[in-house]
């Protein structure tokens, strides 16, 4: 009987020992798990901090967060400039097909917006029961458990890290929250470093572009080529989809797209009102004007770029308010981030340097034009003081000699030579008047007006037309005929830009004794049969008003040829 009583008592120390061993093993496993988790956290921190490209940093943060707490899905939302919505949203755990089926990425409403409004860690066992939850869109995978942690960069909340559905059906615990909070601190440092590096690289690219533009201007490149360089470099550096330069239209309050690069090059030559457009707002204010999404920005209802499905945009004036060389506009795709303050600072500095370079280039051209005019004055003086006087003296000598010539044929030749000298003197005098003509606003010469019309048409056409002028246009063509000529030339060039779809336009203006002729030839699609010809009828009526003609033809290689003529009064 005693033996039977002692058997259970002898097993009690053994049972207690087993319990102690199990408890010790559990603590060892817990310590090992903690060690492994700390090791994983350190690896994640190093992995995140190793990258310098911001997009790669953000991608690694999402992936590391999901891996650390064994979450099936992860996401990182970057808070936009307004502080109330998400400007960027990166995901982990979703396939490209799933993302496409879900549709537009979240903008920061519902539960995601809760962390934006209250940037504190948030753990939920069932996210659908939270008062801020709106539910999921169609084709969105079901999610239950939730862990959200804000990411701060210095004193600013940069965004939020969202994790859902801990594997095994478990809830996220306090240790998960602690690990992700620690990762968020390291992520903030990594993001700050990446942004600083990105800013320095971008600044270097802006400086390089400014130097390239200045060198291009002072090496004598054409203005349009320089504007194209400005637009291309700005578009490349900012990763924009569209870059265009608008300039004021002389004599009107409108703007015209002088050059467009990117989304739709057909914007070239498009006339824009100042009111109701992004470029107009920047020109009026003299400071950068931004839009979170240009295609949906109700502030700019008259802006035709709204039809291009463009997203974030900025317009920067190339000069001071209401003046300067124009406005540079940059626009990104709808899913791209908005322009940051640091980007705007760099862009504004670049625009200022580009405007200064363009202004200096204009001053250089003005100086060259002044030197040209002074040279023309010198040539005119030399012709008047030397050439005409010597020709006049030669004519007087021939007239005197003609009296001594007895042969009738020789006397007639001498007399004809004297008449030729008189005609030559008239031509030289007309040339002198033309050389001394000034291209001022009061009375610009026909040559200057024609050259200006052709130069302005290059904007709408997308290429400079070829211009040739011959004869005494500034002295033999009356003012009324000159006005008709300039109007006809403008209408023909406008038609070529709007309807011809040409790649080459040639303009020839020629004055001969008794007639002035304007010929405009293009290699476009020609004048269609049965098309609207009200504009062409107007040109014919102008010719009739001055007793001239207007004809339409086609060159051998295709296209159109328009010939407008007007008679000139006989020289006195």
């Amino acid at each position: 009987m005693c033996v039977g009583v002692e058997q259970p008592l002898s097993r009690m120390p053994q049972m207690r020992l087993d319990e102690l061993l199990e408890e010790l093993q559990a603590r060892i496993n817990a310590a090992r798990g903690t060690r492994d988790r700390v090791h994983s956290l350190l690896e994640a921190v190093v992995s995140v901090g190793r990258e310098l490209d911001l997009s790669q940093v953000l991608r690694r943060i999402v992936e590391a967060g999901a891996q650390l707490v064994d979450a099936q899905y992860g996401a990182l939302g970057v808070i936009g400039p307004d502080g109330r919505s998400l400007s960027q949203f990166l995901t982990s755990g979703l396939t490209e097909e799933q993302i496409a089926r879900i549709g537009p990425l979240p903008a920061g409403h519902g539960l995601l917006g809760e962390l934006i409004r209250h940037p504190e860690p948030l753990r939920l066992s069932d996210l659908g029961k939270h008062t801020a939850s709106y539910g999921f869109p169609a084709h969105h995978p079901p999610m239950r458990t939730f862990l959200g942690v804000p990411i701060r960069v210095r004193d600013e909340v940069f965004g939020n890290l969202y994790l859902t559905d801990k594997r095994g059906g478990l809830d996220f615990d306090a240790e998960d929250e602690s690990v992700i909070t620690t990762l968020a601190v390291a992520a903030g440092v990594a993001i700050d470093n990446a942004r600083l590096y990105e800013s320095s690289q971008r600044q270097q690219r802006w400086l390089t572009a400014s130097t390239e533009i200045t060198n291009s201007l002072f090496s004598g490149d054409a203005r349009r080529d320089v504007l194209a360089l400005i637009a291309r470099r700005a578009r490349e550096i900012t990763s924009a989809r569209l870059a265009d330069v608008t300039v004021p239209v002389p004599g009107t309050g409108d703007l015209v797209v002088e050059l467009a690069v990117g989304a739709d090059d057909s914007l070239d030559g498009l006339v824009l009102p100042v009111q109701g457009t992004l470029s107009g707002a920047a020109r009026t204010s003299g400071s950068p004007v931004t839009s979170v999404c240009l295609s949906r920005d109700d502030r700019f209802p008259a802006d035709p770029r709204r039809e291009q499905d463009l997203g974030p945009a900025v317009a920067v004036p190339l000069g001071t308010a209401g003046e300067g060389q124009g406005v540079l506009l940059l626009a990104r795709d709808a899913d791209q981030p908005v322009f940051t303050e640091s980007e705007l600072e760099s862009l504004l500095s670049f625009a200022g340097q580009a405007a200064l370079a363009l202004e200096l280039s204009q001053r250089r051209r003005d100086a060259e034009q002044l030197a040209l005019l002074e040279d023309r004055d010198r040539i005119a003086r030399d012709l008047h003081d030397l050439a005409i006087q010597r020709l006049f003296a030669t004519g007087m000598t021939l007239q005197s000699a003609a009296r001594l010539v007895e042969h009738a044929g020789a006397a007639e030749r001498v007399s004809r030579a004297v008449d030729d000298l008189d005609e030559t003197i008239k031509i030289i005098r007309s040339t002198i008047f033309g050389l001394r003509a000034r291209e001022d606003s009061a009375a610009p010469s026909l040559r200057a007006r024609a050259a200006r019309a052709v130069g302005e048409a290059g904007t709408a056409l997308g290429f400079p037309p070829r211009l040739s002028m011959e004869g005494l246009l500034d002295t033999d063509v009356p003012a009324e005929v000159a006005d008709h000529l300039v109007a006809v030339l403008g209408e023909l060039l406008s038609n070529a830009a709007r309807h011809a779809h040409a790649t080459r336009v040639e303009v020839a203006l020629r004055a001969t004794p008794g007639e002035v002729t304007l010929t405009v030839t293009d290699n476009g699609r020609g004048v269609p049969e049965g098309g609207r010809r009200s504009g062409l009828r107007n040109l014919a009526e102008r010719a009739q008003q001055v007793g001239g003609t207007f004809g339409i033809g086609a060159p051998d290689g295709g296209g159109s040829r328009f010939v407008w003529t007007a008679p000139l009064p006989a020289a006195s």
Side-chain angles (χ1 to χ4, degrees):
M1 294 294 294
C2 292
V3 174
V5 173
E6 290 176 355
Q7 281 181 350
L9 294 175
S10 63
R11 288 198 298 270
M12 288 180 63
Q14 182 66 37
M15 293 173 62
R16 180 60 177 166
L17 180 60
D18 291 342
E19 291 175 1
L20 291 174
L21 289 174
E22 289 177 1
E23 182 179 353
L24 178 60
Q25 184 63 43
R27 294 194 177 191
I28 291 173
N29 291 338
R32 183 180 293 114
T34 301
R35 182 199 65 186
D36 293 343
R37 197 160 203 182
V38 169
H39 183 69
S40 298
L41 178 59
L42 290 175
E43 284 185 344
V45 169
V46 172
S47 173
V48 169
R50 184 184 299 120
E51 293 290 341
L52 287 175
D53 180 76
L54 182 58
S55 60
Q56 292 297 324
V57 169
L58 299 181
R59 175 62 59 189
R60 285 189 179 274
I61 291 171
V62 179
E63 295 172 350
Q67 184 177 2
L68 282 173
V69 296
D70 207 17
Q72 185 173 354
Y73 305 106
L76 192 153
V78 179
I79 299 176
D82 59 1
R84 299 188 302 272
S85 61
L86 299 176
S87 62
Q88 200 174 353
F89 197 79
L90 294 86
T91 63
S92 172
L94 294 173
T95 64
E96 293 295 331
E97 182 181 355
Q98 286 177 306
I99 294 173
R101 293 182 64 193
I102 293 171
L105 295 174
H109 305 298
L111 185 59
L112 301 185
E114 183 71 14
L115 260 74
I116 299 176
R117 295 184 293 271
H118 306 288
E120 299 293 338
L122 177 64
R123 272 189 297 131
L124 299 173
S125 298
D126 189 347
L127 58 86
K129 295 181 179 180
H130 194 278
T131 55
S133 177
Y134 284 2
F136 298 113
H139 308 296
H140 195 288
M143 297 179 182
R144 189 179 67 84
T145 56
F146 176 86
L147 173 60
V149 175
I151 298 176
R152 287 180 169 83
V153 176
R154 301 189 183 185
D155 297 329
E156 160 196 13
V157 179
F158 175 83
N160 296 301
L161 180 59
Y162 309 105
L163 302 163
T164 61
D165 281 11
K166 188 177 179 69
R167 299 183 189 277
L170 302 176
D171 291 343
F172 294 108
D173 54 24
E175 187 176 342
D176 293 328
E177 181 180 321
S178 177
V179 168
I180 295 302
T181 301
T182 304
L183 176 65
V185 173
V189 176
I191 291 171
D192 193 29
N193 289 337
R195 291 204 300 188
L196 289 173
Y197 177 76
E198 187 178 77
S199 177
S200 66
Q201 291 294 102
R202 186 170 54 246
Q203 189 65 30
Q204 181 61 41
R205 294 180 69 188
W206 283 123
L207 291 174
T208 302
S210 296
T211 303
E212 186 179 2
I213 290 164
T214 302
N215 292 339
S216 177
L217 276 168
F218 287 99
S219 65
D221 289 353
R223 170 188 166 85
R224 182 177 176 84
D225 294 338
V226 177
L227 289 178
L229 181 61
I230 291 173
R232 284 200 307 271
R233 292 295 176 264
R235 177 173 174 257
E236 292 167 1
I237 295 173
T238 59
S239 300
R241 175 182 163 197
L242 168 69
D244 68 42
V245 178
T246 55
V247 296
V249 179
T252 71
D254 296 330
L255 300 172
V256 62
V257 180
E258 184 167 351
L259 181 138
V261 178
D264 191 350
D265 293 348
S266 66
L267 290 173
D268 278 8
L270 188 65
V271 177
L272 310 174
V274 172
Q275 297 296 326
T277 61
L278 184 60
S279 298
R283 177 168 176 78
T284 302
S285 65
S287 58
V289 179
T290 60
S291 173
V292 175
C293 183
L294 182 57
S295 296
R296 296 195 296 269
D297 200 325
D298 295 334
R299 295 178 298 165
F300 311 113
D303 203 317
R305 306 181 191 91
R306 288 165 57 92
E307 302 175 1
Q308 302 291 324
D309 192 27
L310 297 170
V314 59
V316 182
L318 299 174
T320 56
E323 300 178 359
Q325 301 288 335
V327 178
L328 171 64
L329 179 137
L330 299 164
R332 290 170 172 159
D333 284 317
D335 59 347
Q336 295 299 306
V338 298
F339 288 88
T340 64
E341 287 296 329
S342 63
E343 284 183 307
L344 291 182
E345 290 176 4
S346 300
L347 182 56
L348 188 59
S349 175
F350 170 77
Q353 293 177 7
L356 179 60
L358 288 171
E359 186 69 21
L360 291 175
S361 176
Q362 182 64 45
R363 294 293 178 264
R364 188 191 66 178
R365 286 196 295 270
D366 291 344
E368 292 174 349
Q369 181 68 17
L370 181 60
L372 175 61
L373 293 174
E374 291 176 349
D375 200 37
R376 289 169 64 177
D377 280 343
R378 180 188 60 78
I379 295 172
R381 286 195 305 270
D382 291 345
L383 286 174
H384 182 271
D385 297 341
L386 301 176
I388 289 182
Q389 300 305 323
R390 296 191 67 174
L391 287 172
F392 185 76
T394 302
M396 294 291 291
T397 301
L398 288 174
Q399 279 183 326
S400 299
R403 300 190 188 100
L404 304 176
V405 177
E406 296 181 354
H407 190 279
E412 183 184 354
R413 289 188 179 184
V414 171
S415 178
R416 195 161 54 241
V418 171
D419 291 340
D420 288 344
L421 285 174
D422 287 339
E423 188 64 30
T424 302
I425 290 173
K426 290 179 181 179
I427 293 174
I428 292 177
R429 280 177 173 163
S430 297
T431 304
I432 291 172
F433 293 147
L435 286 171
R436 286 177 171 170
R438 292 293 188 270
E439 297 181 15
D440 52 28
S441 58
S445 66
L446 177 57
R447 285 177 177 269
R449 295 169 67 186
R452 185 179 297 115
V454 171
E456 291 173 355
T459 300
L461 289 166
F463 56 88
R466 181 179 178 183
L467 173 65
S468 63
M469 292 185 282
E470 182 181 349
L472 303 178
L473 297 168
D474 295 336
T475 56
D476 286 3
V477 181
E480 180 186 1
V481 176
D483 291 340
H484 282 295
L485 264 172
V486 174
V488 170
L489 176 58
E491 180 67 22
L492 290 174
L493 291 173
S494 177
N495 287 342
R498 289 181 296 171
H499 308 303
H501 300 286
T503 59
R504 187 181 71 254
V505 174
E506 297 179 0
V507 177
L509 188 55
R510 183 169 181 262
T512 59
E515 186 178 71
V516 61
T517 304
L518 170 66
T519 305
V520 178
T521 308
D522 65 66
N523 66 343
R525 59 184 185 182
V527 180
E529 292 293 335
R532 295 180 59 187
R533 300 200 175 201
S534 57
L536 299 181
R537 282 197 300 271
N538 292 337
L539 304 186
E541 290 174 1
R542 285 183 178 274
Q544 292 173 4
Q545 290 176 20
V546 293
T549 62
F550 176 64
I552 305 172
D556 295 337
S560 304
R561 178 183 289 116
F562 304 93
V563 181
W564 193 93
T565 68
L568 296 179
S572 58

